[in-house]
């Protein structure tokens, strides 16, 4: 089984930046897309960004457009999330996810993905 491992979380003041990375370990596999989600205490998991593996088409939730950038490394099968101008409302556990097989479900939907990492905490102080 492939394991997804997130890294790069931490504590940062409002207006600062962090870069999250998601790396796969174990068996090599082909993926259709990868995405980043976040979940704050007492709230449902929500989509942040996603990227199609072939072609690199990206998707962002409205609240992070212009501040966050998702990118992929095709040779290493990793995905990063560059987060700038962070706000306290960005505080959450951030998860990466992989879609193994292409299907019509929106990449903003948690059910579009087949496997998840354990998450990394991002805390933005005011």
């Amino acid at each position: 089984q492939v394991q997804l491992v997130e890294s790069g979380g931490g504590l940062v003041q409002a207006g600062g930046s962090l870069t999250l990375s998601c790396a796969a370990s174990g068996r090599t596999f082909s993926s259709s897309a990868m995405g980043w989600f976040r979940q704050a205490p007492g709230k449902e998991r929500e989509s942040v960004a996603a990227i199609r593996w072939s072609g690199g088409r990206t998707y962002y939730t409205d609240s992070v457009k212009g501040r966050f950038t998702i990118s992929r490394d095709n040779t290493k099968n990793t995905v990063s999330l560059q987060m700038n101008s962070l706000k306290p409302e960005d505080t959450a556990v951030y998860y990466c996810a992989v879609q193994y097989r292409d299907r019509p479900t929106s990449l903003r939907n948690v059910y579009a993905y087949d496997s998840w990492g354990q998450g990394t905490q991002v805390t933005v102080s005011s």
Side-chain angles (χ1 to χ4, degrees), residues 36-48 61 63 89-95 108-111 116:
W36 285 98
F37 287 74
R38 65 187 181 188
Q39 188 167 24
K43 297 185 178 181
E44 295 186 355
R45 190 168 299 188
E46 65 174 351
S47 173
V48 177
T61 193
S63 63
E89 65 191 64
D90 296 317
T91 296
V93 177
Y94 282 70
Y95 300 88
R108 294 190 62 194
N109 193 316
V110 295
Y111 299 108
W116 296 80

Side-chain angles (χ1 to χ4, degrees), residues 40-117:
K43 297 185 178 181
E44 295 186 355
R45 190 168 299 188
E46 65 174 351
S47 173
V48 177
I51 186 167
R52 294 284 184 185
W53 206 250
S54 178
R57 183 179 179 184
T58 58
Y59 307 85
Y60 298 94
T61 193
D62 288 343
S63 63
V64 308
K65 288 181 179 178
R67 299 189 298 121
F68 291 10
T69 303
I70 188 171
S71 61
R72 73 191 193 282
D73 186 327
N74 300 66
T75 61
K76 297 182 178 180
N77 293 315
T78 59
V79 170
S80 296
L81 184 69
Q82 175 67 48
M83 305 185 294
N84 297 323
S85 302
L86 283 163
K87 306 174 181 179
E89 65 191 64
D90 296 317
T91 296
V93 177
Y94 282 70
Y95 300 88
C96 67
V98 60
Q99 180 190 74
Y100 295 144
R101 311 174 190 88
D102 191 16
R103 50 186 179 269
T105 306
S106 170
L107 293 178
R108 294 190 62 194
N109 193 316
V110 295
Y111 299 108
Y113 298 89
D114 300 293
S115 186
W116 296 80

Side-chain angles (χ1 to χ4, degrees), residues 13-30:
Q13 291 194 337
S17 299
L18 283 174
T19 300
L20 306 183
S21 296
C22 179
S25 62
R27 294 184 63 184
T28 302
F29 64 93
S30 298

